[in-house]
Amino acid sequence: MALDPLPLALTNLLLRPGFRGRRAPDRAFDRLLAAAGPAEGDERFTADFRHLLRCWAAADRLTPVGWLSARGHVGRHLANRARIRRLLAAHPEIEREPVERPVFVVGLPRTATTLTHGILSLSAEHRCPLLWELLTPDLELPAEEREKAIATARRLVGGINLFSPDFRHIHNLRPEGPEECTFALPHTVMPLSQAVIPEYLPWHETHDFGADYRYLKQIYQVLQYGRPRRRWVLKSPLHLENLDALRAVFPDATIVWTHRDPATAVASFCSLVEHGMAVNTRPLDLHWIGATWLELLARSARRGLAARAGIPRESLVDVPYSWLGADPAAGAPKLYAAVGARWTEADAARLPAVAARPRGTRVHSYDLARYGLTRADVDTAFADYNALRAEADRA
């Protein structure tokens, strides 16, 4: 294992006195809850996050920065929930905001979901949530308050790039760029990309995500209220395992499912997890990353396939990797036509900037064997999904 970047090593040293706080996670949670604001009538939501922080506090090999990240994650969700509740109480009409015919980009991670989302964001008729909006959802803010919210996103991105300099080569976060619903959804498997918390898995596997998606809709209603209405274009690979809950809340949604060889996708995502997790957990167990995420991603694909049977064919768009990964100029108009959107010359003119590798980043390299996996392992885990992918490639 390589040495920690100097800024990370120094920060861990500075945070060590406060690291003892993880021995009393309930006390830490109570402070976060008090800072967020009143939670009367929201006991289920707060209890779920209390459980998450308890699990995170017990994580094996957690670093002081990892404990800070855990509290930051939980505190942000508590604060956002309290703000959304206050806004809905002050403006009940927000919940009458129509979220009509949204597009949800889903698929295994590292299957060009980000590129697909970025291309769909080109249209002036579409509305994609920006990273800073997802981190601090609110009504239209005065310029000064808006800049504070954007600065919060800049600090988050700056910290990730400082502590894990290679992360941006894998997933380049932009404070004012389109980002995925993962930042707004209360509960996802992403804490497992930061810490070894297997105790969280049984809870997550049995969690009813209906309330999470109802809350997600409220967030987008808040972001839409008082602003021009455009068609929402949303994205997260983590929607794949919750398509039933998603469609119960967004019944007229168009599901755009991206496809790529799972052996490539799993290796690439394990590399992303490695670089993100190294900030919070030391030393890393790369084979744990491989085994854990092979199962989680295979489970996601199985759940997605099961839900797919109930999605009307006209509401489902399959996007093979070759559509956009090989030739975006040819694939983008097909994508727009498939979701019932207009592809314009203005969109085409902006396409090269979206499709190009972000400035200052380099090609991402990865290898299944680094994580104790073989192609045979992946092919076995994704046998049913591979049949669907082959069919999508032929279409």
Side-chain angles (χ1 to χ4, degrees):
M1 175 64 66
L3 294 175
D4 290 348
L6 183 59
L8 178 59
L10 291 175
T11 305
N12 274 321
L13 186 63
L14 290 171
L15 292 175
R16 189 157 293 282
F19 192 38
R20 292 187 294 269
R22 77 169 181 154
R23 299 172 187 166
D26 283 338
R27 190 181 307 161
F29 182 86
D30 289 339
R31 287 196 292 268
L32 295 171
L33 187 59
E40 291 83 2
D42 212 13
E43 288 77 13
R44 181 71 268 166
F45 186 92
T46 55
D48 287 345
F49 272 99
R50 185 183 294 275
H51 175 70
L52 172 58
L53 192 63
R54 286 172 179 167
C55 292
W56 217 322
D60 188 29
R61 302 188 296 279
L62 192 70
T63 66
V65 166
W67 177 233
L68 179 69
S69 297
R71 287 179 289 139
H73 176 94
V74 170
R76 175 171 62 82
H77 280 286
L78 292 175
N80 286 344
R81 175 72 164 202
R83 185 186 316 105
I84 296 297
R85 283 166 54 85
R86 289 195 299 270
L87 290 172
L88 295 180
H91 306 280
E93 64 274 17
I94 289 175
E95 288 199 271
R96 295 194 292 273
E97 281 288 324
V99 179
E100 296 176 332
R101 299 172 51 249
V103 175
F104 280 88
V105 179
V106 309
L108 293 172
R110 316 304 296 167
T111 58
T113 55
T114 298
L115 176 58
T116 304
H117 191 221
I119 289 174
L120 287 169
S121 76
L122 292 171
S123 174
E125 298 174 0
H126 292 165
R127 169 79 156 94
C128 295
L130 308 179
L131 177 58
W132 72 268
E133 294 178 310
L134 293 167
L135 292 174
T136 318
D138 208 332
L139 300 181
E140 188 73 54
L141 295 171
E144 184 177 346
E145 293 300 312
R146 175 188 171 99
E147 184 52 40
K148 286 181 181 178
I150 295 172
T152 297
R154 290 189 184 123
R155 285 193 296 271
L156 173 70
V157 174
I160 292 171
N161 292 339
L162 181 67
F163 291 156
S164 182
D166 289 335
F167 190 86
R168 65 193 181 96
H169 303 305
I170 308 172
H171 183 74
N172 188 44
L173 291 166
R174 294 181 297 132
E176 297 179 75
E179 257 306 332
E180 59 186 52
C181 305
T182 306
F183 288 96
L185 272 171
H187 299 288
T188 71
V189 291
M190 288 314 289
L192 292 164
S193 71
Q194 299 184 54
V196 181
I197 44 178
E199 297 83 1
Y200 184 57
L201 266 177
W203 179 92
H204 188 273
E205 288 173 350
T206 58
H207 180 61
D208 179 2
F209 282 89
D212 291 61
Y213 280 90
R214 289 190 292 273
Y215 173 53
L216 184 69
K217 181 177 180 180
Q218 290 174 336
I219 287 176
Y220 293 130
Q221 288 173 316
V222 164
L223 291 176
Q224 180 174 284
Y225 182 67
R227 297 154 172 156
R229 290 178 184 168
R230 291 176 286 161
R231 189 182 187 186
W232 282 100
V233 176
L234 308 167
K235 169 246 179 178
S236 174
L238 304 185
H239 290 317
L240 189 60
E241 67 175 357
N242 296 315
L243 290 179
D244 284 339
L246 185 158
R247 293 195 65 253
V249 176
F250 302 95
D252 60 347
T254 295
I255 306 299
V256 174
W257 188 333
T258 59
H259 299 284
R260 192 183 190 186
D261 179 1
T264 301
V266 170
S268 179
F269 189 70
C270 284
S271 176
L272 182 147
V273 170
E274 176 188 350
H275 284 85
M277 197 174 192
V279 174
N280 303 289
T281 303
R282 304 294 279 194
L284 290 180
D285 182 344
L286 299 182
H287 286 201
W288 180 90
I289 291 175
T292 298
W293 283 99
L294 175 64
E295 174 51 34
L296 289 175
L297 296 177
R299 184 191 73 178
S300 176
R302 290 193 298 270
R303 290 186 175 183
L305 288 171
R308 181 184 175 95
I311 301 177
R313 192 65 194 91
E314 64 273 15
S315 300
L316 182 63
V317 178
D318 288 306
V319 179
Y321 191 79
S322 59
W323 269 28
L324 302 174
D327 188 359
K334 290 196 295 184
L335 173 65
Y336 269 58
V339 302
R342 295 188 308 119
W343 178 252
T344 68
E345 291 183 4
D347 300 330
R350 292 192 296 270
L351 176 62
V354 170
R357 181 175 300 282
R359 180 179 299 178
T361 64
R362 61 173 182 266
V363 174
H364 175 211
S365 60
Y366 40 84
D367 181 11
L368 276 175
R370 179 172 175 81
Y371 307 100
L373 300 175
T374 67
R375 170 170 278 280
D377 295 330
V378 179
D379 286 345
T380 299
F382 288 91
D384 291 341
Y385 170 73
N386 273 328
L388 168 65
R389 182 176 64 89
E391 181 181 334
D393 285 341
R394 290 192 297 268

